[in-house]
Amino acid sequence: MIIQQVITTTSAQVVHIVCSESAAGSLRAALVPPKYVIGFPEDLSIGPLWKLDEKRGQAFRDEWLRENINDGMDDFVNQNKLMNTIREIQDIPSNLPIYIWCGSNAEEQCGLRFLLYLLRDKTNEVVLINTGEQRAINHQWNMEMYDVKRLSAKERLFFQQQWESLAQTKDVCRLLLHQQIQAVQESYYDNLIMSTIGQRHKEQGDTDFIQTGVFISELLTSMDAPPNIFFLEYRIRYLVYSEVFELKGIPKSMHHYSVKLRKKPL
C-alpha cells in the first residue's frame, strides 16, 4: 500500500496528528526535521458521525455535507481525503509514538475521540498535547506551553467508548458544553442569527441587505465558542428557504449573496 510505504520510509521518530489540515501545515513548518504530520481533513463537530469508520457511514456523511454545506470544495476530493486519512492513520507503524494535538473545542474533541477509535487495536504509545482553550490552529507549537500527557489504556478506552456512542447517532451539530460533547438541534443557532441581523437593521435604521460573509464574520465575533462558519452559512440559507430572510444574489458561496429580514405582511 502506497501510504504504508510513505510512513515506513520516513526517518521521523514520532507521528503527529492534528484535527485540521491548515494546522497540520503550520506544524510541519514549525517542527524540526525529520517529522511526520497527519492533518485530519474534516470538522466532526458538524455532520453525521454514524458509522464513520465504515464506507456506508462515510457515504451517509458525504451525502449530508454535499446537500447542506457550501464550502467550495469538490465533493469527490472531500470523500477521498477522508478515506485516505483514515487509512493513513490505521497504517501507522506500531513502533512510532503518536502525538495528538487537541484543544478544548467541539471540533478537536470530536476528532480526538475518532482518532483514538481508529487507533483502538494499536499498541503505539499515544501522547495527548492539550492546547487548552486555544485552538491547535493558533500556530504556537512549543510543547512546553501545553499539557502533555501519555494516555493510559483506561483513558484510551474511555475516549473510544465515547466515540462509539457518538457513532450510533445521526445528529448533525455538536457543542462542547462543560467539557462534554453534546448534540444540539440543527436549528440551535437560528434564533441568534435572526436576532443579530434584526439588531443590525435596528442600529442602521433600515433593512438593507447585508453581505452574508460580512454578517457571518460579525456574528462570529459575538460568540464565545464560534462554530463551523459553513454550518452558520447553511442555517442562513435555510432561513432564506423558510422565507424568514430575503435573498439578493446567488448563494454559491457566502460571498456571493446578501440577506435581510423579510418584511411581515401588514
Side-chain angles (χ1 to χ4, degrees):
M1 184 177 294
I2 294 176
I3 294 175
Q4 178 71 20
Q5 291 174 349
V6 171
I7 297 180
T8 54
T9 56
T10 183
S11 56
Q13 301 300 307
V14 173
V15 175
H16 296 266
I17 308 179
V18 194
C19 297
S20 161
E21 287 187 301
S22 59
S26 298
L27 184 56
R28 290 186 189 100
L31 290 176
V32 177
K35 55 201 170 185
Y36 196 91
V37 180
I38 299 173
F40 193 79
E42 296 201 10
D43 180 349
L44 299 186
S45 70
I46 66 167
L49 303 181
W50 177 76
K51 297 189 181 299
L52 191 58
D53 62 313
E54 301 178 18
K55 287 186 177 180
R56 56 177 173 165
Q58 293 162 22
F60 181 70
R61 175 178 172 82
D62 182 66
E63 181 181 8
W64 186 89
L65 292 173
R66 189 171 60 251
E67 292 178 351
N68 297 289
I69 300 301
N70 190 8
D71 60 2
M73 296 293 291
D74 182 87
D75 299 327
F76 180 75
V77 171
N78 273 343
Q79 189 173 20
N80 273 346
K81 274 187 177 181
L82 177 60
M83 293 173 59
N84 289 339
T85 304
I86 289 173
R87 190 178 304 119
E88 187 176 13
I89 291 167
Q90 292 173 331
D91 286 345
I92 295 173
S94 59
N95 64 304
L96 294 181
I98 300 169
Y99 283 32
I100 301 176
W101 296 73
C102 183
S104 296
N105 56 77
E107 174 185 356
E108 295 172 26
Q109 288 297 319
C110 289
L112 170 66
R113 284 152 177 78
F114 185 48
L115 292 172
L116 290 173
Y117 180 77
L118 294 177
L119 296 168
R120 64 193 181 279
D121 295 327
K122 289 191 167 292
T123 58
N124 304 61
E125 177 185 14
V126 176
V127 176
L128 176 62
I129 303 176
N130 189 339
T131 61
E133 296 301 319
Q134 299 173 331
R135 285 181 176 269
I137 200 172
N138 70 353
H139 308 303
Q140 298 179 9
W141 299 107
N142 185 347
M143 281 187 283
E144 294 180 358
M145 296 175 59
Y146 304 124
D147 178 20
V148 180
K149 179 181 181 182
R150 181 184 184 276
L151 294 181
S152 66
K154 184 177 180 180
E155 289 169 324
R156 290 176 62 170
L157 180 61
F158 172 76
F159 285 122
Q160 293 164 27
Q161 290 174 337
Q162 286 203 329
W163 174 261
E164 289 170 352
S165 295
L166 289 171
Q168 292 175 13
T169 70
K170 295 186 180 180
D171 301 303
V172 298
C173 185
R174 287 160 290 278
L175 307 178
L176 188 67
L177 300 173
H178 309 295
Q179 299 304 309
Q180 298 292 323
I181 296 172
Q182 296 186 24
V184 295
Q185 293 294 320
E186 208 167 350
S187 59
Y188 181 83
Y189 296 105
D190 291 6
N191 285 335
L192 176 61
I193 292 170
M194 290 185 289
S195 63
T196 302
I197 203 168
Q199 183 63 29
R200 171 80 177 269
H201 288 329
K202 183 178 179 181
E203 291 171 354
Q204 293 182 340
D206 58 40
T207 54
D208 285 346
F209 282 98
I210 301 171
Q211 204 268 343
T212 304
V214 172
F215 173 61
I216 289 176
S217 295
E218 293 178 1
L219 190 64
L220 290 172
T221 61
S222 67
M223 306 173 80
D224 293 332
N228 184 291
I229 62 172
F230 298 109
F231 187 84
L232 289 178
E233 193 271 332
Y234 154 57
R235 296 313 302 173
I236 290 172
R237 275 185 286 111
Y238 175 85
L239 293 170
V240 169
Y241 304 147
S242 301
E243 300 186 343
V244 175
F245 289 166
E246 290 186 44
L247 167 73
K248 183 173 74 172
I250 302 173
K252 61 181 180 179
S253 84
M254 67 179 70
H255 303 294
H256 285 85
Y257 70 104
S258 301
V259 294
K260 68 177 183 179
L261 280 171
R262 183 177 293 274
K263 291 183 179 179
K264 296 179 180 179
L266 299 176

